[in-house]
Amino acid sequence: MSAKQTILIVFLVVLLMAVLLGAIIINKYLKNVISSLHDDLAKLDDPLIAEDIDRLDKMDLAGASLERFSKDRKNYNRIFSEDVTKSLELLNNAVAANESYKLYTAYEIVKQVKPKVQEIGTQVLALQKGFMELLKFTRDNKLQLDALKKQYDDKRKYILSTSYDYSLALEALEDELHAIGCQFESVKNLTIQGDHVEAKRVLQKIRSAITKLEDELPLVKKTSSELLDIFPEQLTEISTTYKSMLKNKFSIVEIDICSTVKQLRNSIEESKKLVSQLKLKDADSKNHSIKETIDKCYDILTKEYKAKAFVDQHQAKIVKALTHTITNSVKLIKNLEHIDKSYELTHGELDEVRGLSSRIQHLNSEFDVDCQKVSDGGVVYSSIEQKWHKLIDEIIKTDERENKIFKDVDGLYDGEKIANASIEKFKQNVSLIYRKMERRNLPGKPDSFLQLYTLVVNEIAKTADKLDQVRINLEEISHELIQIQNDIDRLEQDTKEILDSADLVELTMQYSNKYANRNDIIHANKVAYDLYNNKYEYKEALDILAAAIEKVEPGSYKRIESDYYKK
């Protein structure tokens, strides 16, 4: 036998063994699957389901409950008589085919049966759940019925025992209670008949009706309390108070109290009707509107009452304040007219005070009219109060402004004295400066000094002349005095610089004698001498000498200058 034949035989043997092994594995797998499907079908025949069916069958169900039970039991029996039986037959065929190693046939049968068994299991579970629900309806309905009946009885007793709180809607509430009671009878009859599904639906309606009733009761109580007790009492109080205020000569024009009270009573009756019909949201909304109007009436009456108290308390005070302000205005005008003869009032103080006085006189006239109205009666006190608040503000502002004007002008006399004293002081200062220049015995006075001196003297004379006028402008004079002081300060500084420069020229010229043989020093001395003695330019002469001596002997002038200012 050739090698190729040997290899072929070995391959065929191995292949045959592999096929046999695969067949054995598949056979075992299919056997397990078929066994599992048999178990699943066996589990469906649950004795507990049979017990539930038997219990339901003995309940004498009726109506929707009976219809549903009958339909589910029929489906349950059909599943076991047809679907389960057929599935078992197919599984038996699959067992036979698998034992005969007709593996493909067995596999096809399993492929067909497996989803069917799953479907049957789903259907049986659904039917079992339905049977349990029917049983549960019976138990739950009994529990719910007892709980709702107790809740209903409690509400009925409560409403009857507190009937006044719900009197407006008592008839409607009793109708609701009666309707609920009828529904309880319906549940009872349906339970007796065995229609537990319909009984459950009616119980749900009862629960909703009781919940609605519980929601209504607080709103009925609240709106009824407002309509029967609170609002009528408030309207009576408003009417009584208003009549009393009319007797005491109050006048209320903001609203017509009588007409408003009448409208409110009509609104109360309308709201009562809404409550009696259990249109509670509409009634609550209407009550809110009634309350707002009542509050508005209270606010108006209170406002007028407080306004009268204000008028009574402040009338005499305002009279006193107006008298005081008018008197002060007259005095201030006279004072300003007198001052205006001697001083120019540059900010229109006199015209301003006359305007303030005229305004106060006008306000006083209006106040007199208001007082007469108050005396005659029938006045709107809140309007008077508002007006008098503004009057008080104007009096205060007028007093403050006039006091400020008085303080401002009161200082004019002192200002004039100060201005005259300043002029005398300026004259003395200028005279001292001039004598200081004279005592130095310089060859002459620089033109810049003479010009500034002349300017200051003329300024002093001009301002002094203004102070001698019959009517003076102190504000203008004050500005001039400041300018004169500045010019005197400048004149004093220039004078000091001139005298210091003249002294330093002499000291520097003496020091330059050390270098009298140097032409540049000789020339500098000559130029400086001419500037000093002929042109009176002392600062310029010092600059020439200082520059020359510093050039010959650096630092020498600085020493001369330093020694000079140390003395």
Side-chain angles (χ1 to χ4, degrees):
M1 185 179 294
S2 65
K4 288 184 178 179
Q5 289 175 335
T6 302
I7 293 171
L8 179 60
I9 291 171
V10 171
F11 174 75
L12 291 174
V13 171
V14 171
L15 180 61
L16 180 59
M17 291 177 68
V19 171
L20 289 173
L21 181 62
I24 292 170
I25 292 171
I26 293 172
N27 176 269
K28 188 175 183 179
Y29 165 75
L30 290 173
K31 185 178 180 180
N32 291 334
V33 172
I34 292 168
S35 177
S36 176
L37 291 173
H38 265 294
D39 291 343
D40 289 342
L41 287 173
K43 289 177 183 177
L44 294 177
D45 191 12
D46 188 348
L48 295 177
I49 298 177
E51 289 179 10
D52 288 345
I53 292 172
D54 186 55
R55 288 165 62 191
L56 288 168
D57 195 32
K58 293 178 180 179
M59 283 184 178
D60 296 328
L61 299 176
S65 298
L66 179 60
E67 183 181 346
R68 176 176 171 179
F69 171 65
S70 298
K71 180 181 177 182
D72 288 352
R73 181 170 60 177
K74 182 179 180 181
N75 286 334
Y76 182 79
N77 291 333
R78 180 191 58 75
I79 287 171
F80 277 91
S81 64
E82 298 178 8
D83 296 344
V84 172
T85 301
K86 185 176 180 181
S87 297
L88 287 171
E89 289 176 359
L90 289 171
L91 288 174
N92 290 333
N93 293 335
V95 170
N98 193 44
E99 289 177 349
S100 302
Y101 276 89
K102 295 178 181 180
L103 302 178
Y104 180 75
T105 301
Y107 172 75
E108 286 297 319
I109 294 173
V110 169
K111 183 180 178 182
Q112 177 185 355
V113 172
K114 190 174 182 178
K116 185 65 177 177
V117 171
Q118 291 175 346
E119 181 183 351
I120 291 171
T122 302
Q123 291 176 350
V124 170
L125 286 174
L127 290 170
Q128 183 183 25
K129 183 179 179 181
F131 295 142
M132 292 173 66
E133 283 180 352
L134 281 172
L135 290 169
K136 188 173 183 293
F137 280 164
T138 305
R139 293 192 301 270
D140 288 354
N141 286 356
K142 180 68 170 62
L143 293 173
Q144 290 183 40
L145 179 62
D146 292 343
L148 290 173
K149 190 66 168 63
K150 183 178 186 308
Q151 195 175 358
Y152 167 78
D153 289 340
D154 289 343
K155 291 298 173 190
R156 185 178 185 86
K157 289 177 183 177
Y158 173 75
I159 292 171
L160 293 175
S161 64
T162 57
S163 58
Y164 177 78
D165 293 337
Y166 307 100
S167 58
L168 292 177
L170 191 58
E171 185 176 343
L173 292 173
E174 287 178 344
D175 289 344
E176 286 192 350
L177 289 168
H178 177 71
I180 295 172
C182 291
Q183 289 176 332
F184 276 116
E185 287 298 318
S186 177
V187 171
K188 182 178 179 182
N189 292 332
L190 289 168
T191 303
I192 292 172
Q193 295 168 10
D195 195 350
H196 302 290
V197 174
E198 181 63 19
K200 182 178 179 63
R201 189 185 67 80
V202 177
L203 283 171
Q204 290 173 342
K205 290 177 63 177
I206 292 174
R207 181 181 295 105
S208 298
I210 291 177
T211 300
K212 177 175 176 287
L213 181 65
E214 288 177 336
D215 292 339
E216 288 173 341
L217 290 180
L219 199 51
V220 170
K221 185 174 182 179
K222 172 181 174 292
T223 51
S224 297
S225 175
E226 290 173 339
L227 294 169
L228 294 175
D229 300 322
I230 298 173
F231 292 162
E233 183 179 339
Q234 289 176 334
L235 291 180
T236 300
E237 184 178 27
I238 288 171
S239 297
T240 302
T241 302
Y242 177 63
K243 290 175 183 177
S244 174
M245 291 176 74
L246 288 179
K247 290 180 181 178
N248 286 283
K249 298 183 179 181
F250 282 84
S251 178
I252 296 173
V253 298
E254 196 169 338
I255 61 171
D256 186 336
I257 295 292
C258 292
S259 175
T260 302
V261 169
K262 184 178 180 181
Q263 290 173 5
L264 287 171
R265 294 191 190 281
N266 291 334
S267 296
I268 288 173
E269 293 305 315
E270 292 171 3
S271 188
K272 285 181 180 179
K273 186 176 181 181
L274 291 172
V275 174
S276 69
Q277 297 170 352
L278 291 180
K279 296 179 179 179
L280 301 176
K281 288 186 177 179
D282 293 339
D284 190 51
S285 176
K286 196 165 193 67
N287 279 18
H288 181 73
S289 177
I290 293 170
K291 181 179 183 301
E292 284 186 337
T293 306
I294 288 175
D295 288 344
K296 183 179 179 182
C297 290
Y298 271 118
D299 290 342
I300 291 171
L301 294 177
T302 302
K303 180 176 67 175
E304 292 303 321
Y305 183 80
K306 289 182 178 180
K308 185 179 186 303
F310 172 86
V311 169
D312 291 343
Q313 292 171 8
H314 288 79
Q315 184 171 353
K317 295 178 181 178
I318 294 174
V319 170
K320 185 176 179 181
L322 279 170
T323 302
H324 173 77
T325 302
I326 291 170
T327 302
N328 283 351
S329 295
V330 172
K331 289 180 180 179
L332 184 56
I333 289 172
K334 290 180 179 180
N335 192 19
L336 290 176
E337 287 174 345
H338 176 72
I339 292 173
D340 191 52
K341 294 176 181 178
S342 302
Y343 303 97
E344 291 184 19
L345 299 174
T346 55
H347 297 289
E349 290 88 348
L350 183 55
D351 289 339
E352 182 181 356
V353 173
R354 284 171 176 165
L356 292 171
S357 178
S358 176
R359 174 63 180 164
I360 287 295
Q361 292 286 356
H362 175 71
L363 292 174
N364 186 55
S365 298
E366 289 187 347
F367 177 72
D368 288 341
V369 172
D370 291 340
C371 290
Q372 186 59 48
K373 289 180 180 178
V374 170
S375 177
D376 294 341
V379 69
V380 180
Y381 285 101
S382 58
S383 297
I384 297 294
E385 179 187 14
Q386 186 178 14
K387 191 175 180 182
W388 285 9
H389 273 301
K390 293 179 180 179
L391 172 59
I392 291 170
D393 288 341
E394 285 210 48
I395 292 172
I396 292 171
K397 289 178 181 178
T398 299
D399 285 342
E400 289 175 349
R401 180 57 187 158
E402 289 185 348
N403 286 335
K404 187 178 185 306
I405 292 173
F406 175 77
K407 289 178 181 178
D408 290 342
V409 301
D410 191 47
L412 291 176
Y413 295 113
D414 292 336
E416 182 182 5
K417 293 178 182 179
I418 292 170
N420 281 313
S422 297
I423 290 295
E424 291 301 319
K425 180 182 175 183
F426 292 159
K427 289 178 179 180
Q428 292 174 9
N429 289 343
V430 172
S431 177
L432 287 172
I433 291 170
Y434 192 82
R435 288 203 299 273
K436 186 185 292 185
M437 184 69 79
E438 285 288 314
R439 285 198 302 270
R440 184 60 180 77
N441 292 321
L442 295 174
K445 299 177 182 62
D447 290 340
S448 61
F449 170 82
L450 293 174
Q451 290 173 1
L452 183 56
Y453 173 78
T454 303
L455 172 66
V456 172
V457 170
N458 289 337
E459 284 178 339
I460 292 171
K462 179 181 176 183
T463 303
D465 183 59
K466 287 182 179 180
L467 280 168
D468 287 336
Q469 300 295 318
V470 174
R471 192 164 178 265
I472 63 177
N473 186 332
L474 269 181
E475 186 173 354
E476 180 183 353
I477 289 171
S478 295
H479 290 305
E480 290 181 1
L481 291 174
I482 293 170
Q483 182 60 47
I484 293 170
Q485 182 63 62
N486 290 335
D487 291 340
I488 289 174
D489 292 342
R490 190 155 55 93
L491 179 63
E492 192 169 20
Q493 181 62 31
D494 285 355
T495 301
K496 185 177 183 306
E497 289 179 2
I498 291 169
L499 296 177
D500 287 342
S501 296
D503 290 340
L504 285 169
V505 166
E506 294 176 1
L507 292 171
T508 306
M509 192 172 285
Q510 291 173 8
Y511 189 82
S512 68
N513 289 334
K514 290 173 58 177
Y515 306 101
N517 58 341
R518 290 180 61 94
N519 291 331
D520 51 353
I521 295 298
I522 293 171
H523 177 71
N525 282 335
K526 184 177 179 181
V527 173
Y529 182 83
D530 181 58
L531 290 170
Y532 185 92
N533 285 286
N534 298 322
K535 297 181 179 178
Y536 319 132
E537 295 178 359
Y538 307 108
K539 295 178 185 178
E540 290 78 0
L542 179 60
D543 291 341
I544 296 293
L545 284 174
I549 197 69
E550 279 290 319
K551 188 174 181 182
V552 175
E553 184 184 341
S556 56
Y557 174 71
K558 291 295 182 183
R559 290 196 303 274
I560 295 170
E561 186 180 43
S562 179
D563 292 340
Y564 172 77
Y565 285 114
K566 285 180 181 179
K567 295 179 181 179

